[in-house]
Amino acid sequence: MTTPTLMDKVAVITGAASGIGKDIAQLYVAHGARVVIADLDLTAASATALQLDASGARAMALQMDVTDEAAVEAGIAEVASQFGGVDILISNAGIQIVGPLDSYAFSDWKKMLAIHLDGAFLTTRACLKLMYAQQRGGTIIYMGSVHSKEASVLKAPYVAAKHGLVGLCKVVAKEGAKHGVRANVICPGFVRTPLVDKQIPEQALALGISEDEVVSKVMLKDTVDGEFTTVDDVAQTALFLASFPSNALTGQSIVVSHGWFMQ
Ligand code: NAD
C-alpha cells in the first residue's frame, strides 16, 4: 500500500466549518492529514471535526476569529501544543457584502478587508513563525478568487482584498523559500456554497433582474460551459498544491473557474 499523500501533515484550515474549507478538510483527512477546523462558528466547527474523525486524533475544532490578533496567536499555539506544529495553512475564511461603491458603508469596507486581508496576515504570521522554527518547511494556500484577477460591479472590497492576497502570497513565497515554505493562491469561479447562495437574491435586487438571470447572466456568463465550479474542484487543487514537492511551484495563483478567466 502506498503512503497517503499528506500522511500526518498538520493542516490549519480557516473557515472550514462550511463550504470550500469543509470540503478541503474532508479530502485532506482522506489523504492522511490531521486537520484543524478553525472557524468563528464553534458549533459548526465541532460538528465538522466530529464528522471527520470522532476520535479527535485527526480533526480538531478551534474557535478562531481570524481578525483577532490574540485569538489567532492563542489558537495556533494550541494547535502546536495539541498536534505538534503546523505544516499547511489554508487561509480560507471569508464573507461577502455586495453593494455599489457610491453608497458602500465604510464599516462594511473595513469588515471585508479585516476578514480577507488582516485574517490572511495574522494566520500567516503565526504559522510562519512555527514553520521556520520547526525546520520542516511548509505550505500556505490563500483562497483567492477569479476576483483576484478580474473585477465585477458591486464587489469593490472583495476584489481589492482578493487582489491583495496575490501580493501577500508572492512576498511569502520570497521570504519563505529559504525555510522551505511555499505559498500559492487558488482562484475559484463561483461555487454553490452559503456565501454564494446569499448573494443571488442580493444581486437580483441590486441589479433589478431575476435570480435565474443572476446565475446565467452574471455568475456563469463567461464560463466555457455554463457550469458552477464545485467544492471538490477546489479541494483537489488544494491537495495538489499542498503535496507538490518543491519550490518550483510557489508564488503562483491558479484559476479554477470553468474558463471564466483565462490567464
Ligand atoms: P462559506 O460561507 O460557506 O464559508 C465561510 C466560512 O468562514 C464560514 O464557516 C464562516 O463561519 C467562516 N468565517 C467567516 N468569518 C470568519 C472569521 N472572521 N474568522 C473565522 N472564520 C470566519 O463560504 P465559501 O464559499 O466556502 O468561501 C470560502 C472562501 O472561498 C472565501 O474566502 C471566499 O471568498 C472564497 N471563494 C468563494 C467562492 C464561491 O463562489 N463560493 C469563489 C471564490 C472564492
PDB file of all heavy atoms in Angstrom, residues 15 17-21 39-41 64-67 92-95 115-116 143-145 158 162 188-191 193-196, ligand 1:
ATOM      1  N   GLY A  15     -12.138  28.988   8.327  1.00  0.00           N
ATOM      2  CA  GLY A  15     -13.450  28.961   7.673  1.00  0.00           C
ATOM      3  C   GLY A  15     -13.835  27.557   7.230  1.00  0.00           C
ATOM      4  O   GLY A  15     -14.585  27.383   6.267  1.00  0.00           O
ATOM      5  N   ALA A  17     -15.645  25.287   8.689  1.00  0.00           N
ATOM      6  CA  ALA A  17     -16.905  24.716   9.176  1.00  0.00           C
ATOM      7  C   ALA A  17     -17.963  24.686   8.093  1.00  0.00           C
ATOM      8  O   ALA A  17     -19.052  24.147   8.287  1.00  0.00           O
ATOM      9  CB  ALA A  17     -17.407  25.526  10.376  1.00  0.00           C
ATOM     10  N   SER A  18     -17.665  25.246   6.918  1.00  0.00           N
ATOM     11  CA  SER A  18     -18.670  25.341   5.853  1.00  0.00           C
ATOM     12  C   SER A  18     -17.990  25.320   4.485  1.00  0.00           C
ATOM     13  O   SER A  18     -16.760  25.496   4.380  1.00  0.00           O
ATOM     14  CB  SER A  18     -19.439  26.657   6.038  1.00  0.00           C
ATOM     15  OG  SER A  18     -20.314  26.915   4.956  1.00  0.00           O
ATOM     16  N   GLY A  19     -18.781  25.089   3.450  1.00  0.00           N
ATOM     17  CA  GLY A  19     -18.380  25.324   2.061  1.00  0.00           C
ATOM     18  C   GLY A  19     -17.052  24.737   1.632  1.00  0.00           C
ATOM     19  O   GLY A  19     -16.744  23.565   1.859  1.00  0.00           O
ATOM     20  N   ILE A  20     -16.242  25.574   1.000  1.00  0.00           N
ATOM     21  CA  ILE A  20     -14.982  25.136   0.389  1.00  0.00           C
ATOM     22  C   ILE A  20     -14.007  24.584   1.429  1.00  0.00           C
ATOM     23  O   ILE A  20     -13.402  23.528   1.241  1.00  0.00           O
ATOM     24  CB  ILE A  20     -14.344  26.327  -0.373  1.00  0.00           C
ATOM     25  CG1 ILE A  20     -15.197  26.696  -1.600  1.00  0.00           C
ATOM     26  CG2 ILE A  20     -12.912  26.024  -0.780  1.00  0.00           C
ATOM     27  CD1 ILE A  20     -14.772  27.979  -2.312  1.00  0.00           C
ATOM     28  N   GLY A  21     -13.860  25.294   2.545  1.00  0.00           N
ATOM     29  CA  GLY A  21     -12.904  24.873   3.572  1.00  0.00           C
ATOM     30  C   GLY A  21     -13.258  23.502   4.137  1.00  0.00           C
ATOM     31  O   GLY A  21     -12.378  22.666   4.383  1.00  0.00           O
ATOM     32  N   ASP A  39     -12.667  28.150  12.899  1.00  0.00           N
ATOM     33  CA  ASP A  39     -13.813  28.921  12.399  1.00  0.00           C
ATOM     34  C   ASP A  39     -14.376  29.787  13.517  1.00  0.00           C
ATOM     35  O   ASP A  39     -14.230  29.471  14.707  1.00  0.00           O
ATOM     36  CB  ASP A  39     -14.899  27.960  11.891  1.00  0.00           C
ATOM     37  CG  ASP A  39     -15.802  28.582  10.840  1.00  0.00           C
ATOM     38  OD1 ASP A  39     -16.640  29.442  11.216  1.00  0.00           O
ATOM     39  OD2 ASP A  39     -15.683  28.226   9.658  1.00  0.00           O
ATOM     40  N   LEU A  40     -15.036  30.860  13.102  1.00  0.00           N
ATOM     41  CA  LEU A  40     -15.746  31.737  14.022  1.00  0.00           C
ATOM     42  C   LEU A  40     -16.861  30.960  14.728  1.00  0.00           C
ATOM     43  O   LEU A  40     -17.140  31.172  15.906  1.00  0.00           O
ATOM     44  CB  LEU A  40     -16.368  32.855  13.166  1.00  0.00           C
ATOM     45  CG  LEU A  40     -16.846  34.122  13.784  1.00  0.00           C
ATOM     46  CD1 LEU A  40     -15.745  34.801  14.559  1.00  0.00           C
ATOM     47  CD2 LEU A  40     -17.358  35.070  12.677  1.00  0.00           C
ATOM     48  N   ASP A  41     -17.485  30.055  13.996  1.00  0.00           N
ATOM     49  CA  ASP A  41     -18.646  29.309  14.475  1.00  0.00           C
ATOM     50  C   ASP A  41     -18.185  27.988  15.103  1.00  0.00           C
ATOM     51  O   ASP A  41     -17.932  27.005  14.402  1.00  0.00           O
ATOM     52  CB  ASP A  41     -19.570  29.066  13.266  1.00  0.00           C
ATOM     53  CG  ASP A  41     -20.851  28.342  13.647  1.00  0.00           C
ATOM     54  OD1 ASP A  41     -20.902  27.729  14.735  1.00  0.00           O
ATOM     55  OD2 ASP A  41     -21.800  28.384  12.841  1.00  0.00           O
ATOM     56  N   MET A  64     -11.913  30.433  16.235  1.00  0.00           N
ATOM     57  CA  MET A  64     -10.929  31.474  15.938  1.00  0.00           C
ATOM     58  C   MET A  64     -11.561  32.526  15.033  1.00  0.00           C
ATOM     59  O   MET A  64     -12.076  32.214  13.966  1.00  0.00           O
ATOM     60  CB  MET A  64      -9.721  30.850  15.225  1.00  0.00           C
ATOM     61  CG  MET A  64      -8.611  31.843  14.936  1.00  0.00           C
ATOM     62  SD  MET A  64      -7.519  31.213  13.655  1.00  0.00           S
ATOM     63  CE  MET A  64      -6.427  30.206  14.625  1.00  0.00           C
ATOM     64  N   ASP A  65     -11.528  33.767  15.516  1.00  0.00           N
ATOM     65  CA  ASP A  65     -11.900  34.882  14.649  1.00  0.00           C
ATOM     66  C   ASP A  65     -10.597  35.338  14.010  1.00  0.00           C
ATOM     67  O   ASP A  65      -9.699  35.834  14.701  1.00  0.00           O
ATOM     68  CB  ASP A  65     -12.530  36.009  15.483  1.00  0.00           C
ATOM     69  CG  ASP A  65     -12.863  37.233  14.642  1.00  0.00           C
ATOM     70  OD1 ASP A  65     -12.441  37.307  13.465  1.00  0.00           O
ATOM     71  OD2 ASP A  65     -13.547  38.127  15.174  1.00  0.00           O
ATOM     72  N   VAL A  66     -10.477  35.180  12.696  1.00  0.00           N
ATOM     73  CA  VAL A  66      -9.182  35.452  12.050  1.00  0.00           C
ATOM     74  C   VAL A  66      -8.788  36.933  12.096  1.00  0.00           C
ATOM     75  O   VAL A  66      -7.642  37.272  11.809  1.00  0.00           O
ATOM     76  CB  VAL A  66      -9.142  34.954  10.578  1.00  0.00           C
ATOM     77  CG1 VAL A  66      -9.271  33.442  10.509  1.00  0.00           C
ATOM     78  CG2 VAL A  66     -10.198  35.641   9.712  1.00  0.00           C
ATOM     79  N   THR A  67      -9.734  37.789  12.475  1.00  0.00           N
ATOM     80  CA  THR A  67      -9.407  39.220  12.553  1.00  0.00           C
ATOM     81  C   THR A  67      -8.879  39.618  13.932  1.00  0.00           C
ATOM     82  O   THR A  67      -8.512  40.770  14.155  1.00  0.00           O
ATOM     83  CB  THR A  67     -10.644  40.097  12.245  1.00  0.00           C
ATOM     84  OG1 THR A  67     -11.582  39.978  13.324  1.00  0.00           O
ATOM     85  CG2 THR A  67     -11.323  39.689  10.961  1.00  0.00           C
ATOM     86  N   ASN A  92      -8.663  30.670   4.347  1.00  0.00           N
ATOM     87  CA  ASN A  92      -9.860  30.493   3.513  1.00  0.00           C
ATOM     88  C   ASN A  92     -11.082  31.246   4.041  1.00  0.00           C
ATOM     89  O   ASN A  92     -12.003  31.533   3.282  1.00  0.00           O
ATOM     90  CB  ASN A  92     -10.148  28.977   3.444  1.00  0.00           C
ATOM     91  CG  ASN A  92     -11.532  28.650   2.916  1.00  0.00           C
ATOM     92  OD1 ASN A  92     -11.748  28.693   1.713  1.00  0.00           O
ATOM     93  ND2 ASN A  92     -12.472  28.342   3.811  1.00  0.00           N
ATOM     94  N   ALA A  93     -11.101  31.600   5.335  1.00  0.00           N
ATOM     95  CA  ALA A  93     -12.297  32.240   5.904  1.00  0.00           C
ATOM     96  C   ALA A  93     -12.645  33.485   5.094  1.00  0.00           C
ATOM     97  O   ALA A  93     -11.757  34.256   4.721  1.00  0.00           O
ATOM     98  CB  ALA A  93     -12.035  32.638   7.355  1.00  0.00           C
ATOM     99  N   GLY A  94     -13.917  33.654   4.818  1.00  0.00           N
ATOM    100  CA  GLY A  94     -14.299  34.832   4.041  1.00  0.00           C
ATOM    101  C   GLY A  94     -15.788  35.082   4.086  1.00  0.00           C
ATOM    102  O   GLY A  94     -16.575  34.174   4.399  1.00  0.00           O
ATOM    103  N   ILE A  95     -16.151  36.304   3.778  1.00  0.00           N
ATOM    104  CA  ILE A  95     -17.565  36.681   3.677  1.00  0.00           C
ATOM    105  C   ILE A  95     -17.717  37.556   2.432  1.00  0.00           C
ATOM    106  O   ILE A  95     -16.724  37.933   1.804  1.00  0.00           O
ATOM    107  CB  ILE A  95     -18.061  37.467   4.916  1.00  0.00           C
ATOM    108  CG1 ILE A  95     -17.267  38.770   5.094  1.00  0.00           C
ATOM    109  CG2 ILE A  95     -17.985  36.624   6.180  1.00  0.00           C
ATOM    110  CD1 ILE A  95     -17.932  39.764   6.026  1.00  0.00           C
ATOM    111  N   ILE A 115     -11.426  40.676   7.447  1.00  0.00           N
ATOM    112  CA  ILE A 115     -11.526  39.208   7.352  1.00  0.00           C
ATOM    113  C   ILE A 115     -10.597  38.671   6.264  1.00  0.00           C
ATOM    114  O   ILE A 115      -9.825  37.735   6.489  1.00  0.00           O
ATOM    115  CB  ILE A 115     -12.990  38.774   7.115  1.00  0.00           C
ATOM    116  CG1 ILE A 115     -13.826  39.133   8.345  1.00  0.00           C
ATOM    117  CG2 ILE A 115     -13.072  37.277   6.813  1.00  0.00           C
ATOM    118  CD1 ILE A 115     -15.303  38.922   8.211  1.00  0.00           C
ATOM    119  N   HIS A 116     -10.649  39.285   5.094  1.00  0.00           N
ATOM    120  CA  HIS A 116      -9.879  38.716   3.979  1.00  0.00           C
ATOM    121  C   HIS A 116      -8.377  39.013   4.063  1.00  0.00           C
ATOM    122  O   HIS A 116      -7.564  38.146   3.770  1.00  0.00           O
ATOM    123  CB  HIS A 116     -10.443  39.206   2.641  1.00  0.00           C
ATOM    124  CG  HIS A 116     -11.790  38.613   2.329  1.00  0.00           C
ATOM    125  ND1 HIS A 116     -11.946  37.388   1.731  1.00  0.00           N
ATOM    126  CD2 HIS A 116     -13.043  39.067   2.565  1.00  0.00           C
ATOM    127  CE1 HIS A 116     -13.231  37.114   1.592  1.00  0.00           C
ATOM    128  NE2 HIS A 116     -13.929  38.120   2.101  1.00  0.00           N
ATOM    129  N   MET A 143      -7.101  31.391  -0.212  1.00  0.00           N
ATOM    130  CA  MET A 143      -8.281  31.250  -1.048  1.00  0.00           C
ATOM    131  C   MET A 143      -8.560  32.604  -1.676  1.00  0.00           C
ATOM    132  O   MET A 143      -9.135  33.493  -1.072  1.00  0.00           O
ATOM    133  CB  MET A 143      -9.475  30.753  -0.229  1.00  0.00           C
ATOM    134  CG  MET A 143     -10.562  30.127  -1.091  1.00  0.00           C
ATOM    135  SD  MET A 143      -9.925  28.837  -2.217  1.00  0.00           S
ATOM    136  CE  MET A 143      -9.350  27.592  -1.062  1.00  0.00           C
ATOM    137  N   GLY A 144      -8.064  32.749  -2.905  1.00  0.00           N
ATOM    138  CA  GLY A 144      -8.360  33.951  -3.679  1.00  0.00           C
ATOM    139  C   GLY A 144      -9.682  33.756  -4.379  1.00  0.00           C
ATOM    140  O   GLY A 144     -10.618  33.173  -3.834  1.00  0.00           O
ATOM    141  N   SER A 145      -9.742  34.189  -5.620  1.00  0.00           N
ATOM    142  CA  SER A 145     -10.986  34.116  -6.387  1.00  0.00           C
ATOM    143  C   SER A 145     -10.648  34.547  -7.807  1.00  0.00           C
ATOM    144  O   SER A 145      -9.586  35.147  -8.040  1.00  0.00           O
ATOM    145  CB  SER A 145     -11.992  35.089  -5.771  1.00  0.00           C
ATOM    146  OG  SER A 145     -13.027  35.408  -6.678  1.00  0.00           O
ATOM    147  N   TYR A 158     -14.186  43.225  -1.937  1.00  0.00           N
ATOM    148  CA  TYR A 158     -13.856  41.818  -2.204  1.00  0.00           C
ATOM    149  C   TYR A 158     -12.779  41.738  -3.282  1.00  0.00           C
ATOM    150  O   TYR A 158     -11.774  41.034  -3.136  1.00  0.00           O
ATOM    151  CB  TYR A 158     -15.126  41.080  -2.660  1.00  0.00           C
ATOM    152  CG  TYR A 158     -15.012  39.573  -2.734  1.00  0.00           C
ATOM    153  CD1 TYR A 158     -15.129  38.789  -1.590  1.00  0.00           C
ATOM    154  CD2 TYR A 158     -14.812  38.918  -3.956  1.00  0.00           C
ATOM    155  CE1 TYR A 158     -15.051  37.395  -1.661  1.00  0.00           C
ATOM    156  CE2 TYR A 158     -14.729  37.538  -4.034  1.00  0.00           C
ATOM    157  CZ  TYR A 158     -14.853  36.779  -2.887  1.00  0.00           C
ATOM    158  OH  TYR A 158     -14.765  35.401  -2.956  1.00  0.00           O
ATOM    159  N   LYS A 162      -9.062  40.417  -2.612  1.00  0.00           N
ATOM    160  CA  LYS A 162      -8.611  39.195  -3.304  1.00  0.00           C
ATOM    161  C   LYS A 162      -7.396  39.487  -4.185  1.00  0.00           C
ATOM    162  O   LYS A 162      -6.519  38.638  -4.336  1.00  0.00           O
ATOM    163  CB  LYS A 162      -9.756  38.583  -4.124  1.00  0.00           C
ATOM    164  CG  LYS A 162     -10.897  38.002  -3.278  1.00  0.00           C
ATOM    165  CD  LYS A 162     -10.452  36.878  -2.345  1.00  0.00           C
ATOM    166  CE  LYS A 162     -11.606  36.143  -1.703  1.00  0.00           C
ATOM    167  NZ  LYS A 162     -11.179  35.200  -0.654  1.00  0.00           N
ATOM    168  N   PRO A 188     -10.928  30.376  -7.335  1.00  0.00           N
ATOM    169  CA  PRO A 188     -12.105  29.693  -7.882  1.00  0.00           C
ATOM    170  C   PRO A 188     -13.076  30.654  -8.560  1.00  0.00           C
ATOM    171  O   PRO A 188     -13.154  31.831  -8.208  1.00  0.00           O
ATOM    172  CB  PRO A 188     -12.783  29.083  -6.638  1.00  0.00           C
ATOM    173  CG  PRO A 188     -11.836  29.271  -5.502  1.00  0.00           C
ATOM    174  CD  PRO A 188     -10.953  30.421  -5.862  1.00  0.00           C
ATOM    175  N   GLY A 189     -13.836  30.090  -9.511  1.00  0.00           N
ATOM    176  CA  GLY A 189     -15.016  30.778 -10.039  1.00  0.00           C
ATOM    177  C   GLY A 189     -16.138  30.617  -9.026  1.00  0.00           C
ATOM    178  O   GLY A 189     -15.900  30.279  -7.860  1.00  0.00           O
ATOM    179  N   PHE A 190     -17.378  30.828  -9.438  1.00  0.00           N
ATOM    180  CA  PHE A 190     -18.496  30.710  -8.492  1.00  0.00           C
ATOM    181  C   PHE A 190     -18.720  29.260  -8.080  1.00  0.00           C
ATOM    182  O   PHE A 190     -18.780  28.364  -8.927  1.00  0.00           O
ATOM    183  CB  PHE A 190     -19.781  31.269  -9.108  1.00  0.00           C
ATOM    184  CG  PHE A 190     -19.828  32.769  -9.071  1.00  0.00           C
ATOM    185  CD1 PHE A 190     -19.539  33.523 -10.195  1.00  0.00           C
ATOM    186  CD2 PHE A 190     -20.145  33.430  -7.891  1.00  0.00           C
ATOM    187  CE1 PHE A 190     -19.566  34.911 -10.162  1.00  0.00           C
ATOM    188  CE2 PHE A 190     -20.167  34.823  -7.838  1.00  0.00           C
ATOM    189  CZ  PHE A 190     -19.883  35.566  -8.976  1.00  0.00           C
ATOM    190  N   VAL A 191     -18.817  29.048  -6.764  1.00  0.00           N
ATOM    191  CA  VAL A 191     -19.051  27.725  -6.182  1.00  0.00           C
ATOM    192  C   VAL A 191     -20.327  27.847  -5.350  1.00  0.00           C
ATOM    193  O   VAL A 191     -20.464  28.809  -4.573  1.00  0.00           O
ATOM    194  CB  VAL A 191     -17.873  27.328  -5.253  1.00  0.00           C
ATOM    195  CG1 VAL A 191     -18.074  25.920  -4.715  1.00  0.00           C
ATOM    196  CG2 VAL A 191     -16.525  27.454  -5.966  1.00  0.00           C
ATOM    197  N   THR A 193     -21.981  27.638  -2.479  1.00  0.00           N
ATOM    198  CA  THR A 193     -21.833  27.495  -1.024  1.00  0.00           C
ATOM    199  C   THR A 193     -22.769  28.520  -0.392  1.00  0.00           C
ATOM    200  O   THR A 193     -23.321  29.374  -1.106  1.00  0.00           O
ATOM    201  CB  THR A 193     -20.383  27.813  -0.587  1.00  0.00           C
ATOM    202  OG1 THR A 193     -20.154  29.200  -0.848  1.00  0.00           O
ATOM    203  CG2 THR A 193     -19.357  26.981  -1.319  1.00  0.00           C
ATOM    204  N   PRO A 194     -22.909  28.515   0.943  1.00  0.00           N
ATOM    205  CA  PRO A 194     -23.769  29.525   1.582  1.00  0.00           C
ATOM    206  C   PRO A 194     -23.373  30.955   1.193  1.00  0.00           C
ATOM    207  O   PRO A 194     -24.231  31.830   1.057  1.00  0.00           O
ATOM    208  CB  PRO A 194     -23.561  29.265   3.071  1.00  0.00           C
ATOM    209  CG  PRO A 194     -23.257  27.801   3.146  1.00  0.00           C
ATOM    210  CD  PRO A 194     -22.456  27.490   1.908  1.00  0.00           C
ATOM    211  N   LEU A 195     -22.063  31.189   0.963  1.00  0.00           N
ATOM    212  CA  LEU A 195     -21.596  32.541   0.607  1.00  0.00           C
ATOM    213  C   LEU A 195     -22.214  33.000  -0.721  1.00  0.00           C
ATOM    214  O   LEU A 195     -22.602  34.158  -0.875  1.00  0.00           O
ATOM    215  CB  LEU A 195     -20.067  32.531   0.531  1.00  0.00           C
ATOM    216  CG  LEU A 195     -19.333  33.824   0.201  1.00  0.00           C
ATOM    217  CD1 LEU A 195     -18.091  33.970   1.088  1.00  0.00           C
ATOM    218  CD2 LEU A 195     -18.885  33.842  -1.247  1.00  0.00           C
ATOM    219  N   VAL A 196     -22.326  32.087  -1.663  1.00  0.00           N
ATOM    220  CA  VAL A 196     -22.878  32.432  -2.979  1.00  0.00           C
ATOM    221  C   VAL A 196     -24.408  32.413  -2.946  1.00  0.00           C
ATOM    222  O   VAL A 196     -25.060  33.278  -3.537  1.00  0.00           O
ATOM    223  CB  VAL A 196     -22.300  31.474  -4.056  1.00  0.00           C
ATOM    224  CG1 VAL A 196     -23.159  31.457  -5.314  1.00  0.00           C
ATOM    225  CG2 VAL A 196     -20.889  31.926  -4.408  1.00  0.00           C
TER     226      VAL A 196
HETATM  227  P1  NAD B   1     -18.918  29.806   3.374  1.00  0.00           P
HETATM  228  O1  NAD B   1     -19.784  30.932   3.765  1.00  0.00           O
HETATM  229  O2  NAD B   1     -19.542  28.504   3.007  1.00  0.00           O
HETATM  230  O3  NAD B   1     -17.810  29.533   4.493  1.00  0.00           O
HETATM  231  C1  NAD B   1     -17.065  30.571   5.075  1.00  0.00           C
HETATM  232  C2  NAD B   1     -16.691  30.170   6.488  1.00  0.00           C
HETATM  233  O4  NAD B   1     -15.862  31.216   7.015  1.00  0.00           O
HETATM  234  C3  NAD B   1     -17.875  30.012   7.438  1.00  0.00           C
HETATM  235  O5  NAD B   1     -17.795  28.770   8.123  1.00  0.00           O
HETATM  236  C4  NAD B   1     -17.733  31.185   8.406  1.00  0.00           C
HETATM  237  O6  NAD B   1     -18.184  30.899   9.731  1.00  0.00           O
HETATM  238  C5  NAD B   1     -16.225  31.410   8.371  1.00  0.00           C
HETATM  239  N1  NAD B   1     -15.839  32.758   8.812  1.00  0.00           N
HETATM  240  C6  NAD B   1     -16.410  33.940   8.466  1.00  0.00           C
HETATM  241  N2  NAD B   1     -15.810  34.946   9.096  1.00  0.00           N
HETATM  242  C7  NAD B   1     -14.812  34.401   9.849  1.00  0.00           C
HETATM  243  C8  NAD B   1     -13.840  34.943  10.739  1.00  0.00           C
HETATM  244  N3  NAD B   1     -13.766  36.241  10.980  1.00  0.00           N
HETATM  245  N4  NAD B   1     -12.974  34.083  11.336  1.00  0.00           N
HETATM  246  C9  NAD B   1     -13.052  32.746  11.092  1.00  0.00           C
HETATM  247  N5  NAD B   1     -13.961  32.188  10.298  1.00  0.00           N
HETATM  248  C10 NAD B   1     -14.835  33.013   9.680  1.00  0.00           C
HETATM  249  O7  NAD B   1     -18.038  30.384   2.155  1.00  0.00           O
HETATM  250  P2  NAD B   1     -17.188  29.672   0.992  1.00  0.00           P
HETATM  251  O8  NAD B   1     -17.901  29.930  -0.282  1.00  0.00           O
HETATM  252  O9  NAD B   1     -16.787  28.297   1.347  1.00  0.00           O
HETATM  253  O10 NAD B   1     -15.914  30.641   0.995  1.00  0.00           O
HETATM  254  C11 NAD B   1     -14.645  30.265   1.475  1.00  0.00           C
HETATM  255  C12 NAD B   1     -13.604  31.131   0.792  1.00  0.00           C
HETATM  256  O11 NAD B   1     -13.631  30.911  -0.615  1.00  0.00           O
HETATM  257  C13 NAD B   1     -13.807  32.644   0.979  1.00  0.00           C
HETATM  258  O12 NAD B   1     -12.556  33.268   1.195  1.00  0.00           O
HETATM  259  C14 NAD B   1     -14.391  33.081  -0.336  1.00  0.00           C
HETATM  260  O13 NAD B   1     -14.124  34.426  -0.625  1.00  0.00           O
HETATM  261  C15 NAD B   1     -13.674  32.144  -1.286  1.00  0.00           C
HETATM  262  N6  NAD B   1     -14.325  31.983  -2.576  1.00  0.00           N
HETATM  263  C16 NAD B   1     -15.595  31.514  -2.644  1.00  0.00           C
HETATM  264  C17 NAD B   1     -16.193  31.375  -3.888  1.00  0.00           C
HETATM  265  C18 NAD B   1     -17.590  30.869  -4.040  1.00  0.00           C
HETATM  266  O14 NAD B   1     -18.133  31.016  -5.141  1.00  0.00           O
HETATM  267  N7  NAD B   1     -18.204  30.288  -3.036  1.00  0.00           N
HETATM  268  C19 NAD B   1     -15.482  31.698  -5.055  1.00  0.00           C
HETATM  269  C20 NAD B   1     -14.188  32.175  -4.933  1.00  0.00           C
HETATM  270  C21 NAD B   1     -13.612  32.306  -3.685  1.00  0.00           C
END
